[in-house]
Amino acid sequence: MAAFNEFTSMKDMAQFSFYNNKQHGNSEIETNDISRNSNDHVPLCSINDVQLRFLVPDDLSEVRTLCQDWFPIDYPLSWYEDITSSSRFFSLAAVYNLAIIGLIVAEIKPYRSLNKEDRGILPDGLGKTADIGYILSLGVHRKHRRNGIGSLLLDSLINHLTTAERQSVKAIFLHVLTTNEPAILFYEKRRFTLHSFLPYYYHIRGKGQRDGFTYCTDHLRHYASKLCWIGEIFKWLVMRVRQAIRWICHKTVSRFNFAP
């Protein structure tokens, strides 16, 4: 599990891309759903061949095997039991030919309950009563990467968090290894921005402690703002239609009143 010893705030990094205009070799640790090697995937016939479903307790063994292959972190058995059975988690699997090939696990947390290192994602006034989505895990089987599975899973989570019943959710955040270049680029393309640097945040299997980043996106608020903007446009259109109807009625009545 992740270990945290120290926190360094980096609010001025909102527009900063850690890998922009910088050349890197292969990351020491790779934990995300995007493969660096274009030959390390098997193209699907169609994204429509992939089915999405929520995890069930019978998936525990398969999910545990996949996560041990994808991620360099040793999760306890209780974590797998929770994500495959508890309604607290949004645990969605991508299934192809009856096998799980992708997985996203997230939860909704009260913003006020976040750890110190994750504060500041929302303005103080908004954060008092707001909730926030937290992505615990996102991975895709290496044979099926670069087929849009990660994007499909992330879009499903965003759609889940932007329903009318979850208006209190104002943003999404996640943690990622600083060495995980493909994951960072993937999230940056999806409008996630760097929020903070977390020294020694991860305890990596066989490698000790490694640094992490917090990435977040406020495009749920952007989505809500867009809905408000659409609502204002709709109100304006309704007002104009009513004015037009009143004008037509007035002209019609006037015509009958003054007809010879």
Side-chain angles (χ1 to χ4, degrees), residues 36-80:
R36 194 175 287 104
N37 186 348
S38 61
N39 295 322
D40 192 23
H41 73 286
V42 178
L44 299 175
C45 296
S46 169
I47 194 68
N48 294 326
D49 296 331
V50 177
Q51 296 178 330
L52 298 179
R53 66 167 176 82
F54 290 106
L55 294 181
V56 296
D58 288 343
D59 294 322
L60 190 151
S61 178
E62 184 178 5
V63 169
R64 189 178 188 184
T65 299
L66 290 172
C67 288
Q68 288 175 343
D69 177 54
W70 295 343
F71 309 119
I73 300 171
D74 291 322
Y75 296 104
L77 178 61
S78 59
W79 187 79
Y80 294 103

